[in-house]
Amino acid sequence: QVQLVESGGGLVQAGGSLRLSCVASGRTFSSYTMGWFRQAPGQEREFVAAISPMSWTTDYADSVKGRFTISRDNAKNTVYLQMNSLKPEDTAVYYCNRGPLGTMPSDYWGQGTQVTVSS
C-alpha cells in the first residue's frame, strides 16, 4: 500500500509563496502521474495540478495557472507544488494524489497539509 506524506503548508500573507512537498513510499513512483488537489471548507475537493511520470507534461487548473508550478524528483520519490502570488481563495487543505486520470483523482491520497492565506 502506497503512503503519501505531504508537508510545507502554513500561514502566509496574500502575495506570498509556499512550497508543498509530497513524499511517496515504494519503488514505483516514477511510473505514475502525480497530482495535487485541494479542498476548502464547505467545498468539494478540486483539481489543482498534475505531472506526468517523466515530467514531460503538466496540467493546471485555470485558477492557478501562471502562479503555481508542479514538479517532481523521481530519485527522491517526491512531487512538489510551488505556489506563488497566493490569494485568500487559495486557502484549503492540499492533498497529494497518485495516479490521477486527467483531473479525476485516484483512490490514493495523502493526509493533506493546510494552507492558509491571509488578506
Side-chain angles (χ1 to χ4, degrees):
Q1 182 77 359
V2 66
Q3 286 190 319
L4 304 171
V5 180
E6 301 98 331
S7 62
L11 173 63
V12 63
Q13 288 187 337
S17 298
L18 283 174
R19 188 196 197 201
L20 306 184
S21 299
C22 171
V23 180
S25 63
R27 301 180 181 181
T28 60
F29 177 80
S30 61
S31 299
Y32 291 93
T33 293
M34 295 297 296
W36 287 96
F37 292 74
R38 66 186 182 186
Q39 187 167 21
Q43 298 188 20
E44 293 190 355
R45 201 169 294 190
E46 65 175 3
F47 170 79
V48 174
I51 187 166
S52 62
M54 293 294 116
S55 303
W56 292 341
T57 60
T58 57
D59 190 20
Y60 296 93
D62 287 343
S63 59
V64 306
K65 279 181 182 176
R67 300 188 298 121
F68 290 11
T69 302
I70 189 170
S71 62
R72 66 191 295 163
D73 185 339
N74 287 343
K76 296 182 178 179
N77 277 19
T78 302
V79 61
Y80 304 98
L81 186 67
Q82 178 67 45
M83 305 186 295
N84 298 329
S85 302
L86 282 161
K87 305 175 181 180
E89 51 263 44
D90 294 318
T91 295
V93 178
Y94 284 71
Y95 296 91
C96 180
N97 185 258
R98 189 192 80 169
L101 184 61
T103 61
M104 296 300 294
S106 74
D107 293 333
Y108 297 99
W109 295 101
Q111 84 287 351
T113 186
Q114 176 71 48
V115 172
T116 302
V117 185
S118 63
S119 57

